[in-house]
């Protein structure tokens, strides 16, 4: 089998945020559209938090999952403090307040997946 015979799945681009972000935060939504057609019933974004910074406190109508790919931090979820680190996955019910603070030494990187139930 030659290299040309191997099917390569199409990559999905990251779309930089058009909103002004707080200092220390990065955000890029994954484009889940092709030829005007929505590819999935959910949305995905990659976000990062530099050491010493925190995400804004958030609460919304969608359910959400975070997949932590690098770094560590403190998650405040529904008035509880929880440690987060690379390799972990967390789930948020809709309307539950959540915020993460990077108290580690490296950039905290996560993928967020959200949908309406």
């Amino acid at each position: 089998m030659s290299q040309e015979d191997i099917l390569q799945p199409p990559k999905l681009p990251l779309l930089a945020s058009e909103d002004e972000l707080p200092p220390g935060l990065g955000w890029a939504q994954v484009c889940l559209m092709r030829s005007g057609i929505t590819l999935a019933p959910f949305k995905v974004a990659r976000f990062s938090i530099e050491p010493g910074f925190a995400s804004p406190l958030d609460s919304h109508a969608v359910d959400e999952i975070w997949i932590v790919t690098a770094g560590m931090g403190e998650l405040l979820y529904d008035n509880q403090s929880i440690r987060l680190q690379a390799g972990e996955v967390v789930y948020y019910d809709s309307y539950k307040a959540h915020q993460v603070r990077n108290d580690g030494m490296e950039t905290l990187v996560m993928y967020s997946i959200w949908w309406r139930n």
Side-chain angles (χ1 to χ4, degrees):
M1 181 180 293
S2 71
Q3 188 69 14
E4 289 125 17
D5 294 331
I6 299 173
L7 178 63
Q8 296 294 320
K11 294 181 181 179
L12 298 172
L14 292 173
L15 306 173
S17 174
E18 295 179 3
D19 299 329
E20 187 171 326
L21 297 173
L25 268 65
W27 172 267
Q29 189 166 334
V30 177
C31 180
L32 293 174
M33 299 271 302
R34 182 167 299 123
S35 302
I37 298 171
T38 301
L39 300 175
F42 52 84
K43 295 188 179 191
V44 179
R46 179 186 186 272
F47 72 99
S48 60
I49 304 171
E50 297 298 322
F53 289 91
S55 67
L57 183 63
D58 200 10
S59 176
H60 40 64
V62 296
D63 289 16
E64 184 173 15
I65 292 172
W66 284 357
I67 302 168
V68 184
T69 60
M72 61 182 358
E74 176 188 22
L75 171 64
L76 300 174
Y77 175 71
D78 199 28
N79 295 317
Q80 297 178 38
S81 176
I82 303 163
R83 295 297 309 159
L84 276 185
Q85 63 184 10
E88 294 182 327
V89 177
V90 291
Y91 167 79
Y92 306 112
D93 284 315
S94 57
Y95 297 110
K96 295 286 186 175
H98 53 278
Q99 177 181 40
V100 65
R101 182 173 57 88
N102 184 345
D103 57 4
M105 301 299 288
E106 66 176 288
T107 302
L108 179 59
V109 180
M110 293 172 276
Y111 280 85
S112 172
I113 302 166
W114 68 97
W115 65 95
R116 263 187 214 285
N117 254 342

